[in-house]
């Protein structure tokens, strides 16, 4: 392992805005994000597969009256967003280092006000359907955690994953207020996100890929 990674892992151990295994808060955070991490009762917005945290941190800048949590398993990626948030004095940002499959260990029922799924691995093989973050398995996991009326957002450059997700949502009876576009930056939604782009989104956009977006609520 390179020195840079070791230094980043060490920083994650010290940075208060990183919640990970080995810290006391890791075991007691479920249901207690407002009390234990943010020390307020502001709405909680969670981004899955946050990578370097560009989107999580970007939203936190725009909405200081909300709390934002980026979730990812890669410590070297989380380090980037964590360090930027600390440097900018953004106290409404935290990062949870864990596998998304274990998400229900860290969020109680109706604890999340809003959920973002941004540019996840498309998992194109049929045998990998259960690993897609918009598969029935994951939707059933998210549903109890989200407050009534809470919005779930999904952005991707991958047409196959987007069409799969849209078809699945349309087939369910517990989905309401579903809206979508196959060309986000030429849609009515383009100004909603203040021009905040993840690293991958910027790469895809520069290559001419159209960004797909949808949002919905659970009934």
């Amino acid at each position: 392992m390179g020195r840079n990674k070791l230094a980043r892992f060490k920083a994650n151990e010290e940075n208060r805005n990183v919640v990970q295994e080995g810290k006391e808060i890791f075991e007691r955070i479920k249901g207690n994000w407002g009390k234990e991490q943010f020390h307020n009762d502001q709405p909680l917005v969670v981004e899955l597969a946050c990578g370097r945290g560009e989107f999580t941190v970007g939203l936190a800048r725009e909405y200081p009256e909300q709390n934002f949590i980026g979730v990812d398993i890669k410590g070297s990626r989380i380090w980037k967003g964590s360090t930027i948030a600390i440097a900018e004095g953004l106290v409404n940002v935290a990062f949870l280092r864990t596998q998304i499959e274990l998400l229900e260990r860290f969020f109680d029922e109706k604890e999340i006000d809003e959920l973002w799924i941004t540019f996840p691995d498309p998992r194109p093989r049929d045998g990998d359907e259960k690993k897609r973050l918009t598969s029935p398995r994951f939707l059933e996991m998210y549903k109890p955690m989200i407050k009534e009326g809470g919005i779930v957002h999904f952005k991707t450059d991958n047409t196959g994953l987007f069409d799969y997700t849209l078809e699945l949502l349309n087939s369910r009876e517990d989905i309401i207020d579903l809206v979508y576009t196959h060309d986000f930056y030429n849609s009515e939604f383009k100004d909603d996100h203040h021009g905040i782009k993840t690293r991958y989104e910027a790469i895809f956009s520069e290559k001419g890929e159209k960004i797909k977006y949808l949002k919905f609520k659970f009934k």
Side-chain angles (χ1 to χ4, degrees), residues 16-188:
R16 188 188 171 281
N17 63 0
V18 176
V19 176
Q20 64 179 17
E21 191 170 5
K23 296 185 177 183
E24 289 184 17
I25 196 172
F26 188 76
E27 302 298 334
R28 64 171 189 267
I29 197 64
K30 181 176 180 177
N32 295 305
W33 282 95
K35 177 182 177 182
E36 297 279 352
Q37 180 64 37
F38 298 108
H39 307 294
N40 60 50
D41 58 358
Q42 293 183 165
L44 199 66
V45 182
V46 176
E47 182 194 4
L48 303 182
C50 70
R52 298 183 178 187
E54 301 101 324
F55 196 66
T56 296
V57 172
L59 288 176
R61 292 188 189 109
E62 296 289 340
Y63 300 102
E65 73 284 358
Q66 300 180 49
N67 297 325
F68 295 88
I69 303 168
V71 182
D72 206 293
I73 190 60
K74 298 290 187 180
S76 59
R77 294 177 185 171
I78 281 177
W79 167 85
K80 184 70 173 179
S82 165
T83 302
I84 291 173
I86 291 172
E88 295 186 15
L90 297 172
V91 296
N92 62 330
V93 179
F95 291 92
L96 171 63
R97 186 182 179 194
T98 189
Q99 294 176 327
I100 295 172
E101 291 88 341
L102 305 178
L103 200 66
E104 56 194 340
R105 296 187 185 180
F106 304 98
F107 294 96
D108 210 345
E109 289 189 9
K110 303 188 185 308
E111 190 171 13
I112 298 173
D113 291 84
E114 202 165 342
L115 184 70
W116 284 87
I117 307 168
T118 51
F119 298 91
D121 187 331
R123 303 286 186 178
R125 296 191 307 175
D126 290 342
D128 284 344
E129 179 182 358
K130 289 184 177 181
K131 296 180 181 180
R132 297 171 191 165
L133 295 188
T134 56
S135 69
R137 168 196 177 195
F138 280 100
L139 292 177
E140 290 302 321
M141 182 174 66
Y142 308 147
K143 185 176 178 179
M145 304 176 194
I146 300 173
K147 290 182 180 178
E148 184 175 353
I151 302 173
V152 179
H153 306 262
F154 173 55
K155 287 179 79 177
T156 182
D157 68 302
N158 189 278
T159 301
L161 180 61
F162 188 78
D163 290 345
Y164 161 84
T165 303
L166 192 57
E167 181 179 356
L168 175 61
L169 294 175
N170 278 319
S171 72
R172 293 176 63 108
E173 296 182 355
D174 59 349
I175 302 300
I176 59 173
D177 299 339
L178 172 62
V179 294
Y180 62 92
T181 176
H182 284 81
D183 189 359
F184 177 76
Y185 289 103
N186 286 301
S187 76
E188 62 186 294

